[in-house]
C-alpha cells in the first residue's frame, strides 16, 4: 500500500465561497462580501460602498450555510475521512473587535463539526480564509496594524475553547504567501486604502511595505495561535497553508536559473521558512533593503516565532510556471502566480498550466527543506461542466486531472515524502475566488446555480463522484 493507512482523503471549501447567508444570524461583512462577480478576462470589482443591484456572489454562494447536512451526507457517501472548511471570522466577531463572540456563529460551526463527526469525518478548519472582517479594514487597515494580533487571538481563543476535543486539525491563514503579491492585499490581509471608490480586484494598487508588515503580524499571530491551540488541547495539530506556485527556469541560462531561485524564495519559501523553521531567512535582508521595506518588530517577536512553529505544512497546488530573466518573454495570461508559460504543458480554460509532475517535484522539495508532514489541501481543475440530456455530468477531464495528480503524489510518497492527506478543492461546486464566478466548477457534486443568478441550488453527482469514492475506498490504489 502506497498511502499510509490513516491517509486523510477528503475535500476542501471556504465559507465565503460556499456558505451564502452573508448577513444571517448576526454575521458581519467580510472583505469577500464587498467583491462583485466577474469572469475570466474581466476582473471582479472591490466595492467598499455596496452597490444596489450589483451581483455579489458570496451573498448566496451555494447556500451551504443552510444545506450543510445534505452536503456532508454526500461527502460521507464518497467516504471522506476529512472535510476542510473555514470558519468565517465575521460570524464569530462580526466587526472583528467585539469583546464577546457571537453565540449564533459559534453554534453554527459546532453543528457543522458535529455533523462531520457523526460520519467519522475529521474537521480540518482554516481559521482565516479570505474572510478578514471589513470592519477591521476600515478601523485599522487590518493586518497592517499590530492590533490585529489581539483581535485574531480573541477569535482563536473563542473557537479553540468551544471546539476543544472535537477538532484536531487547524490551519492558520489560507495561502499566507498571497501576501507577497498585490493580489493578496484585500483578501489575504484586508488592506484597502481607497474606501470610497471601486477597485479592480486584479489591479489592486500595491504597497509592499504594508503587505510585508502585514505578513509579519500574521506570522506572529500564527505562531501565537499554534501555542494557544497546544495549551488548550495538546492533541491539536496546527498547520500553515501556502499557495505552492512552483516555478522552473525557462532555460538553463544561469540568469534564468538565478531569477527562478529568487522567485521561488519570495513566493514559495519565505512564509514557510518563517512558519516551519521559526525565523526570517537571511535572503530576505537583501530583498527588503533593495525594495525599501522595513519590518517593524517588537522585542520578543523572534522568540514568539521560534516557539510557534507549525506541526505540519499544507498547501494548494494547481499549476506551475517558468521564470525568465529576458524581459521580452511575456507573462502568461490567467496564470495567477504569474511567470512565463511552459511550452511543455497544457493550459486550462482559465489559463492555468496543468503540471502533475510538478506536484511530485514540489512535495519532494518541501519535504527535503522542512522534514515535516505535508498535506495537499487544495488541488483540482476549474472547468465548465455540461448536464447531458439524461441528467448525467461526464467530467472525465476532471477525473483525468485528479488521477494524474494522485499518481504523482504516490510517486512522492515512494520517494520518501511523509504525506498526511489530500483534500481536492471545491469538492462541491462553489464560487471562484479569483474571478467571482460560478461557471468555474471544481466539484464532484454539481450545484444548479449560475452567474445570471438563476438556479435552485439543487445538488447532483457528477461522474467524478463515484470515481473518487472508489479512490478513497482503495486508499488510492485504484485510480482507473
Ligand atoms: C485558492 C484559494 C481558494 C480557491 C482556489 C481556486 O487560491 O485558496 O479559495 O478558490 O484557489 O481558485 P479559483 O477559485 O480562483 O479558481
Amino acid at each position: 500500500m502506497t498511502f499510509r493507512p490513516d491517509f486523510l482523503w477528503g475535500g476542501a471549501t471556504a465559507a465565503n465561497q460556499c456558505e451564502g447567508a452573508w448577513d444571517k444570524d448576526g454575521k458581519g461583512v467580510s472583505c469577500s462580501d464587498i467583491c462583485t462577480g466577474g469572469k475570466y478576462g474581466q476582473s471582479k470589482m472591490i466595492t467598499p460602498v455596496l452597490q444596489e443591484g450589483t451581483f455579489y456572489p458570496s451573498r448566496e454562494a451555494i447556500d451551504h450555510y443552510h444545506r450543510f447536512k445534505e452536503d456532508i451526507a454526500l461527502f460521507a457517501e464518497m467516504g471522506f475521512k476529512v472535510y476542510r472548511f473555514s470558519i468565517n471570522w465575521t460570524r464569530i466577531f462580526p466587526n472583528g473587535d467585539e469583546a464577546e463572540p457571537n453565540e449564533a456563529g459559534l453554534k453554527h460551526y459546532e453543528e457543522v463539526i458535529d455533523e462531520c463527526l457523526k460520519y467519522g469525518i475529521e474537521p480540518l478548519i482554516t481559521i482565516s480564509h479570505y474572510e478578514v472582517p471589513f470592519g477591521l479594514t476600515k478601523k485599522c487597515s487590518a493586518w497592517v496594524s499590530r492590533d490585529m494580533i489581539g483581535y485574531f487571538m480573541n477569535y482563536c481563543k473563542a473557537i479553540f475553547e468551544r471546539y476543544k476535543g472535537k477538532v484536531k486539525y487547524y490551519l492558520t491563514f489560507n495561502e499566507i504567501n498571497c501576501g507577497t503579491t498585490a493580489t493578496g492585499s484585500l483578501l489575504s490581509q484586508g488592506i484597502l486604502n481607497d474606501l470610497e471608490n471601486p477597485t479592480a480586484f486584479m489591479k489592486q494598487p500595491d504597497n509592499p511595505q504594508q503587505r510585508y508588515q502585514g505578513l509579519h503580524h500574521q506570522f506572529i499571530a500564527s505562531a501565537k495561535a499554534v501555542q494557544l491551540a497546544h495549551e488548550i488541547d495538546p492533541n491539536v495539530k496546527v498547520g500553515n497553508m501556502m499557495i505552492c506556485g512552483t516555478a522552473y527556469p525557462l532555460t538553463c541560462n544561469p540568469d534564468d536559473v538565478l531569477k527562478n531561485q529568487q522567485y521561488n524564495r519570495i513566493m514559495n519559501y519565505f512564509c514557510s521558512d518563517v512558519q516551519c523553521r521559526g525565523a526570517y531567512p537571511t535572503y530576505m535582508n537583501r530583498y527588503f533593503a533593495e525594495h525599501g521595506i522595513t519590518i517593524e518588530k517588537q522585542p520578543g517577536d523572534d522568540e514568539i516565532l521560534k516557539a510557534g512553529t507549525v506541526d505540519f505544512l499544507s498547501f494548494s497546488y494547481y499549476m506551475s510556471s517558468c521564470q525568465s530573466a529576458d524581459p521580452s518573454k511575456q507573462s502568461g495570461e490567467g496564470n495567477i502566480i504569474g511567470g512565463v508559460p511552459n511550452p511543455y504543458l497544457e493550459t486550462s480554460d482559465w489559463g492555468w498550466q496543468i503540471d502533475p509532475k510538478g506536484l511530485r517535484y514540489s512535495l519532494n522539495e518541501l519535504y527535503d527543506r522542512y522534514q515535516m508532514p505535508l498535506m495537499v489541501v487544495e488541488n483540482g481543475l476549474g472547468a465548465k461542466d455540461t448536464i447531458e440530456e439524461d441528467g448525467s455530468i461526464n467530467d472525465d477531464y476532471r477525473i483525468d486531472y485528479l488521477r494524474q495528480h494522485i499518481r504523482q503524489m504516490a510517486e512522492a510518497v515512494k520517494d520518501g515524502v511523509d504525506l498526511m492527506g489530500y483534500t481536492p478543492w471545491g469538492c462541491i461546486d462553489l464560487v471562484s475566488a479569483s474571478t467571482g464566478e460560478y461557471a468555474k466548477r471544481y466539484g464532484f457534486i454539481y450545484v444548479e446555480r449560475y452567474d445570471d443568478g438563476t438556479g435552485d441550488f439543487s445538488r447532483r453527482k457528477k461522474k467524478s463522484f463515484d470515481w473518487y469514492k472508489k479512490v478513497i475506498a482503495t486508499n488510492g490504489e485504484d485510480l482507473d
Side-chain angles (χ1 to χ4, degrees):
M1 185 173 287
T2 306
F3 295 104
R4 55 201 237 186
D6 59 350
F7 192 82
L8 292 167
W9 295 99
T13 64
N16 75 87
Q17 290 166 259
C18 71
E19 284 182 350
W22 76 296
D23 59 354
K24 293 285 178 313
D25 300 331
K27 181 183 167 300
V29 177
S30 83
C31 284
S32 285
D33 295 328
I34 60 165
C35 293
T36 71
K39 59 184 181 191
Y40 184 38
Q42 184 190 312
S43 178
K44 61 184 195 177
M45 300 299 291
I46 302 165
T47 60
V49 180
L50 293 175
Q51 301 168 338
E52 281 296 312
T54 296
F55 180 53
Y56 291 98
S58 72
R59 290 193 174 184
E60 291 180 296
I62 58 156
D63 198 32
H64 185 63
Y65 187 77
H66 296 112
R67 294 163 200 251
F68 70 89
K69 290 192 178 168
E70 175 188 354
D71 294 342
I72 293 171
L74 287 164
F75 300 158
E77 193 183 329
M78 274 186 278
F80 277 24
K81 314 281 183 217
V82 65
Y83 173 37
R84 175 185 173 221
F85 60 93
S86 68
I87 291 183
N88 198 322
W89 188 343
T90 57
R91 289 198 194 281
I92 312 298
F93 288 96
N95 280 306
D97 62 353
E98 291 84 353
E100 295 300 324
N102 171 28
E103 173 54 29
L106 285 171
K107 187 166 161 285
H108 171 72
Y109 292 107
E110 187 154 40
E111 286 169 10
V112 175
I113 291 164
D114 287 342
E115 197 64 18
C116 289
L117 296 176
K118 183 172 117 184
Y119 295 104
I121 298 174
E122 289 287 353
L124 164 62
I125 292 182
T126 318
I127 302 171
S128 182
H129 191 138
Y130 301 158
E131 289 135 356
V132 179
F134 188 50
L136 296 178
T137 298
K138 291 190 281 193
K139 179 172 181 161
C140 61
S141 282
W143 283 102
V144 180
S145 162
R146 191 156 178 122
D147 293 346
M148 284 297 277
I149 299 171
Y151 300 135
F152 184 75
M153 293 318 294
N154 287 345
Y155 166 43
C156 287
K157 186 166 178 290
I159 61 174
F160 292 162
E161 284 179 345
R162 180 64 170 250
Y163 308 131
K164 181 179 170 176
K166 293 187 175 185
V167 176
K168 275 194 230 149
Y169 301 101
Y170 286 97
L171 306 176
T172 48
F173 294 99
N174 182 63
E175 295 186 334
I176 187 167
N177 52 336
C178 264
T180 64
T181 71
T183 324
S185 299
L186 180 76
L187 292 191
S188 235
Q189 301 215 339
I191 301 172
L192 187 61
N193 292 318
D194 185 342
L195 289 172
E196 290 181 5
N197 303 299
T199 306
F201 180 76
M202 297 310 281
K203 292 213 173 100
Q204 295 175 59
D206 195 15
N207 185 333
Q209 171 62 41
Q210 285 188 323
R211 286 193 281 107
Y212 281 96
Q213 187 63 49
L215 276 173
H216 181 69
H217 296 146
Q218 290 183 320
F219 294 149
I220 299 291
S222 173
K224 288 177 86 143
V226 171
Q227 287 177 277
L228 182 68
H230 291 163
E231 263 166 53
I232 292 175
D233 185 348
N235 293 319
V236 161
K237 302 272 181 228
V238 185
N240 64 338
M241 196 305 197
M242 56 171 267
I243 182 168
C244 182
T246 294
Y248 311 120
L250 185 66
T251 72
C252 50
N253 181 334
D255 287 337
D256 282 359
V257 175
L258 279 170
K259 175 91 194 279
N260 187 60
Q261 180 182 55
Q262 181 66 354
Y263 173 86
N264 274 323
R265 280 175 162 173
I266 306 301
M267 176 72 191
N268 291 316
Y269 294 131
F270 163 47
C271 295
S272 298
D273 281 354
V274 177
Q275 295 186 294
C276 300
R277 292 169 161 172
Y280 274 65
T282 50
Y283 56 78
M284 288 310 284
N285 295 336
R286 179 171 180 177
Y287 183 83
F288 288 149
E290 289 182 355
H291 291 79
I293 296 166
T294 311
I295 305 295
E296 221 173 277
K297 291 187 184 173
Q298 285 192 0
D301 280 2
D302 291 344
E303 290 71 19
I304 294 171
L305 294 180
K306 255 291 166 278
T309 53
V310 289
D311 300 312
F312 65 98
L313 183 156
S314 81
F315 63 90
S316 63
Y317 179 86
Y318 293 92
M319 67 190 119
S320 65
S321 70
C322 292
Q323 296 295 316
S324 167
D326 176 353
S328 70
K329 300 283 179 208
Q330 288 304 308
S331 185
E333 209 194 310
N335 230 5
I336 48 161
I337 56 171
V340 180
N342 185 330
Y344 297 98
L345 300 178
E346 285 179 11
T347 303
S348 80
D349 287 346
W350 272 264
W352 294 13
Q353 285 208 290
I354 302 167
D355 181 15
K357 287 181 184 155
L359 178 55
R360 174 184 180 182
Y361 175 78
S362 306
L363 282 163
N364 275 285
E365 288 290 294
L366 291 168
Y367 192 63
D368 285 353
R369 195 171 180 109
Y370 302 117
Q371 278 107 39
M372 55 169 61
L374 303 180
M375 187 159 175
V376 180
V377 293
E378 284 186 33
N379 172 238
L381 180 69
K384 291 184 188 115
D385 291 327
T386 316
I387 306 181
E388 305 295 340
E389 270 175 26
D390 65 358
S392 63
I393 297 155
N394 299 313
D395 55 343
D396 291 302
Y397 36 89
R398 182 169 295 107
I399 293 173
D400 191 48
Y401 177 103
L402 295 169
R403 178 191 288 132
Q404 290 190 54
H405 283 79
I406 296 172
R407 273 199 189 125
Q408 295 304 319
M409 287 189 331
E411 292 300 324
V413 170
K414 288 182 200 158
D415 291 334
V417 169
D418 181 8
L419 186 60
M420 294 165 63
Y422 180 60
T423 56
W425 175 250
C427 44
I428 179 164
D429 290 347
L430 36 63
V431 175
S432 155
S434 57
T435 63
E437 65 195 320
Y438 286 98
K440 190 179 188 188
R441 295 173 180 273
Y442 286 89
F444 302 111
I445 301 160
Y446 188 92
V447 177
E448 294 205 33
R449 187 67 179 168
Y450 305 98
D451 289 305
D452 60 4
T454 62
D456 63 3
F457 299 104
S458 59
R459 277 65 168 145
R460 73 171 74 203
K461 298 173 194 172
K462 302 182 193 175
K463 187 173 176 185
S464 54
F465 184 100
D466 287 325
W467 173 82
Y468 192 48
K469 184 177 175 179
K470 186 181 62 183
V471 171
I472 298 177
T474 61
N475 200 17
E477 294 292 311
D478 186 352
L479 300 176
D480 292 336

